[in-house]
Structure formats: C-alpha cells, structure tokens
Amino acid sequence: MSIDRENNSLNAKVIYDLTSFTHLDYPNHLSCIVWFSGCNMRCDYCYNKDIVFAKDGKYSYNDILNFLKTRVNLLEAVVLSGGEASSYDLVPFCQKIKQLGFKIKLDTNGTNFIHVKELIDLNLLDYVALDYKAPEAKFTQITHSNKFDEFSKTLDLLINSNVEFEARTTVHADLLSSDDINEIIIDLKNRGYKNSYFIQEFLETEKNIGDLKRAKNKLDKSSLRSDLEVIFR
C-alpha cells in the first residue's frame, strides 16, 4: 500500500461518532462501534437519520486509533457501522486495527462489493452482519436505491467465503409482510445460506427517514417458513 493512500485515508474525518463500549453488537465480544457518516440508501424506517445525511464526520481514523490504543486488553473488537462503512476505503484503517490486536465486525448493506471483497481477501474481517433489506421486487421501494444486484453479489461472496456472517432484515409490517420474509428465506436457502436469519422489528423513534409510525399490521410469525432458523431481536 502506498504511503499516500494510508495518510490520506487515516487523516480523513469521515467518522460521525463513536460508541466506546457495547456488549450487544458483536456476539460474545466486548466492542466499540465506529459510526461512519453518510449512506447510499434512504430506508424509510432508518432512525440514524442524522448519520445518513451527514456530509462529513467529527473524527478521523487516527482519532479512533488513538482511542483504541487506550483500550488494548480492555475491548476485544471494533464494529464498523453507519451510515454505510463500506462506502469508504477501509483497508488502511482495518490494518491498523488488526495491528492493535482487535477483531473487526462490519455492518453493511452489501452494495459496495469491491470494498467488501478486498477486506475479505486481505483477511481483515472476522464477522459481517449483512442487511437483506427486502426481496428484489420491493428492494427499491424500501431502500430508495437500485442496488439489488450489488447486494446480491456481496451475499454470494459471503456465503462462499470463510468469514462468519449473518443475514438480517429490519421489518416494518406495513412495508414487509410474512410473504416477503418467506421470499427472502427461500432465496437465502437456495443460495446455500445455512446460518441463522435474524429479524429486527421496527423500532419506533421520534424521527426516522420516512416519518414512519408504529405499523398498523402485524407480522404473522406463525406463517414463516422453517427452512432456516429465524431469530427475532
């Protein structure tokens, strides 16, 4: 890697915020969460509205690395989230994190295939949480993007890699029905996905991108297919 690439990357202020401690976001690991500014989707239910629309960040990669140096042997892992962390060239940052001895989890919508592939090829990721936003027919409606093909490539990449990962879907029952979730389950099964499939029910907050309120409909959990283990969070 060129010195210019590393310096330009590590000095860039692209990080919106830092959660200094969590035991919830990376299974069985004490972690911090690095929240990256900006996203290439506009999901109606998203409550990280300020992060999604942010043009820049408060912290540089070096700021976070300096924090991590004070957490060696106290934290086990770093979660890269957002926004959409994979929009950025994460290689120099992840290499520095690894040098400090931390594991790395990536939360991603899977639409930056090249960046995710590079991280996997360099063995920089220990765990990936991939958001399966919606079945293909509803993908644009839910995400306000036309990126299902890119997501699909990343999903196949992860299934065929050795990286531990999970597929997960956030459900607002007025937007996604049990039929939609079953379509996702069938697609995952057909691609060879064998892990648990996680469903996160919509969290009503004061503000979200689509100004959604609590769903009028209820997700019929009893009608979900049993091809995969489905876990509700």
Side-chain angles (χ1 to χ4, degrees):
M1 180 192 310
S2 73
I3 297 297
D4 283 346
R5 176 183 181 183
E6 181 176 315
N7 288 343
N8 290 340
S9 177
L10 296 180
N11 287 319
K13 284 201 168 187
V14 298
I15 293 156
Y16 184 86
D17 207 353
L18 171 70
T19 299
S20 58
F21 175 80
T22 175
H23 60 88
L24 299 174
D25 283 71
Y26 187 162
N28 305 313
H29 291 83
L30 300 178
S31 312
C32 65
I33 309 174
V34 180
W35 301 94
F36 283 80
S37 299
C39 187
N40 56 359
M41 289 183 173
R42 297 291 182 266
C43 303
D44 288 327
Y45 55 74
C46 179
Y47 58 85
N48 286 335
K49 187 174 179 179
D50 293 343
I51 299 177
V52 166
F53 289 104
K55 299 297 185 193
D56 49 28
K58 303 171 194 169
Y59 305 107
S60 70
Y61 296 103
N62 277 325
D63 293 331
I64 303 302
L65 291 168
N66 287 334
F67 162 78
L68 290 174
K69 287 170 186 173
T70 71
R71 294 300 187 271
V72 172
N73 299 322
L74 298 174
L75 296 178
E76 300 166 275
V78 179
V79 178
L80 308 180
S81 194
E84 180 51 44
S86 76
S87 298
Y88 297 93
D89 173 12
L90 296 174
V91 168
F93 184 45
C94 288
Q95 288 174 329
K96 296 288 187 183
I97 293 172
K98 283 291 189 181
Q99 287 167 15
L100 292 171
F102 296 100
K103 291 181 178 292
I104 297 174
K105 177 195 174 209
L106 174 67
D107 293 340
T108 182
N109 62 28
T111 58
N112 296 291
F113 171 80
I114 292 173
H115 282 172
V116 176
K117 184 177 187 302
E118 185 177 19
L119 292 168
I120 290 173
D121 288 346
L122 293 170
N123 296 314
L124 292 171
L125 299 180
D126 298 284
Y127 195 94
V128 176
L130 179 69
D131 291 318
Y132 197 139
K133 300 287 188 179
E136 185 172 9
K138 281 192 173 180
F139 197 84
T140 298
Q141 174 193 332
I142 297 292
T143 68
H144 300 278
S145 74
N146 296 302
K147 296 186 176 293
F148 185 85
D149 288 347
E150 290 93 327
F151 157 79
S152 180
K153 283 177 66 178
T154 301
L155 174 56
D156 286 339
L157 170 72
L158 286 166
I159 288 172
N160 293 303
S161 77
N162 295 318
V163 177
E164 190 177 359
F165 91 103
E166 66 182 55
R168 63 187 187 181
T169 301
T170 299
V171 175
H172 186 291
D174 294 346
L175 301 177
L176 292 175
S177 67
S178 57
D179 287 344
D180 294 320
I181 298 303
N182 281 334
E183 193 174 333
I184 291 174
I185 291 171
I186 291 168
D187 184 42
L188 287 169
K189 179 75 172 176
N190 288 344
R191 290 174 189 252
Y193 181 78
K194 295 182 174 64
N195 303 331
S196 300
Y197 170 49
F198 294 89
I199 294 178
Q200 303 167 160
E201 298 196 75
F202 169 73
L203 179 66
E204 188 176 17
T205 52
E206 286 185 11
K207 56 183 179 178
N208 53 69
I209 288 176
D211 292 324
L212 298 179
K213 305 303 179 190
R214 185 172 301 174
K216 295 183 176 67
N217 296 313
K218 282 192 76 70
L219 184 71
D220 182 4
K221 298 178 183 179
S222 66
S223 66
L224 295 180
R225 296 175 63 99
S226 58
D227 303 67
L228 299 173
E229 180 187 27
V230 177
I231 298 176
F232 284 83
R233 283 177 169 155

